């Protein structure tokens, strides 16, 4: 049984374009609390193995080459368990440590895929991800925080992230913002307050 039990399980979430092999959205995580006796910059379980942009891009390039013709959804690459799904012209990757549970990582990539399908309503492709970058980023933040999995139910994730429907918003055309309208609202407020105070006494 491992002595270092931790909730930290995700090293990175990547959304890469398959057309031109560019990164659309990438998030790399380090364990929020390194071990007490570790030196700064030292490698420890949960440390970000790709701290620089150059290292990250090299990892992503190699990962795209390795998974381009794969038929499975789980691979071991660079001593990391990587699960992935292809959606339209993008690849969704979830990267964990070599000792991480593949089923847990696969549930994260499925939650990401399904929540994006709910949020984007159209297809999950490069253009829709770029146009709705804020929703995609918020969805990832709802799924994983600092490498710790928070939620895997796509309906809950989409409900926390989605914009309020337009019909529920206040219709500003029917509000009278003239001086007379504001005085009417003021008087109505005073009357309601007086009634509440009388009822309370």
């Amino acid at each position: 049984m491992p002595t270092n039990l931790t909730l930290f399980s995700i090293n990175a979430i990547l959304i890469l374009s398959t057309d031109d092999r560019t990164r659309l959205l990438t998030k790399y995580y380090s364990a929020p609390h390194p071990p007490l006796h570790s030196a700064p910059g030292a490698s420890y379980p949960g440390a970000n193995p790709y701290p620089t942009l150059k290292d990250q891009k090299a990892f992503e390039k190699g990962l795209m080459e390795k998974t381009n013709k794969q038929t499975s959804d789980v691979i071991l690459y660079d001593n990391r368990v990587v699960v992935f799904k292809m959606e339209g012209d993008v690849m969704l990757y979830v990267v964990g440590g070599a000792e991480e549970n593949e089923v847990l990582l696969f549930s994260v990539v499925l939650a990401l895929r399904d929540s994006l399908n709910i949020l984007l309503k159209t297809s999950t492709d490069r253009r829709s991800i770029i146009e709705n970058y804020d929703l995609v980023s918020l969805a990832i933040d709802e799924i994983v925080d600092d490498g710790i999995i928070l939620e895997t139910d796509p309906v809950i994730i989409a409900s926390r992230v989605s914009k309020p429907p337009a019909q529920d918003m206040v219709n500003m055309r029917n509000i009278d913002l003239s001086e007379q309208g504001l005085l009417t609202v003021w008087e109505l407020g005073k009357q309601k307050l007086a009634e509440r105070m009388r009822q309370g006494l």
Side-chain angles (χ1 to χ4, degrees), residues 70-104:
Q70 286 285 333
T71 56
S72 65
D73 293 331
V74 180
I75 63 167
L76 185 65
Y77 177 74
D78 198 22
N79 202 25
R80 305 260 172 244
V81 174
V82 180
V83 295
F84 59 95
K85 278 287 185 191
M86 183 166 182
E87 283 292 310
D89 58 352
V90 297
M91 289 285 270
L92 309 173
Y93 294 97
V94 175
V95 182
E99 70 287 343
E100 201 54 58
N101 185 345
E102 297 88 3
V103 176
L104 180 69

Side-chain angles (χ1 to χ4, degrees), residues 90 112-136 158:
V90 297
L112 177 60
R113 181 197 67 181
D114 295 342
S115 61
L116 291 180
N117 285 337
I118 293 170
L119 287 169
L120 301 179
K121 292 183 180 68
T122 58
S123 63
T124 305
D125 59 356
R126 182 174 194 236
R127 182 177 178 197
S128 61
I129 287 175
I130 291 172
E131 288 175 354
N132 298 290
Y133 193 84
D134 56 342
L135 293 178
V136 175

Side-chain angles (χ1 to χ4, degrees), residues 32-53:
H33 305 290
L36 293 175
H37 302 292
S38 64
S43 179
Y44 57 87
N48 185 357
Y50 313 106
T52 65
L53 183 63

Side-chain angles (χ1 to χ4, degrees), residues 165-184:
Q167 66 268 17
D168 292 345
M169 293 172 47
V170 177
N171 188 357
M172 294 298 289
R173 288 185 216 136
N174 297 335
I175 297 176
D176 183 15
L177 295 176
S178 67
E179 186 176 347
Q180 182 60 40
L182 293 175
L183 286 174
T184 305

Side-chain angles (χ1 to χ4, degrees), residues 128-196:
S128 61
I129 287 175
I130 291 172
E131 288 175 354
N132 298 290
Y133 193 84
D134 56 342
L135 293 178
V136 175
S137 182
L138 286 172
I140 291 174
D141 288 342
E142 286 295 327
I143 297 170
V144 176
D145 183 35
D146 277 340
I148 299 170
I149 300 169
L150 300 177
E151 185 65 60
T152 57
D153 185 352
V155 175
I156 294 174
I157 294 163
S159 68
R160 290 181 182 164
V161 170
S162 63
K163 298 174 183 171
Q167 66 268 17
D168 292 345
M169 293 172 47
V170 177
N171 188 357
M172 294 298 289
R173 288 185 216 136
N174 297 335
I175 297 176
D176 183 15
L177 295 176
S178 67
E179 186 176 347
Q180 182 60 40
L182 293 175
L183 286 174
T184 305
V185 170
W186 174 257
E187 289 299 321
L188 180 65
K190 282 191 341 190
Q191 289 173 358
K192 293 289 184 186
L193 181 63
E195 285 177 22
R196 296 272 172 126

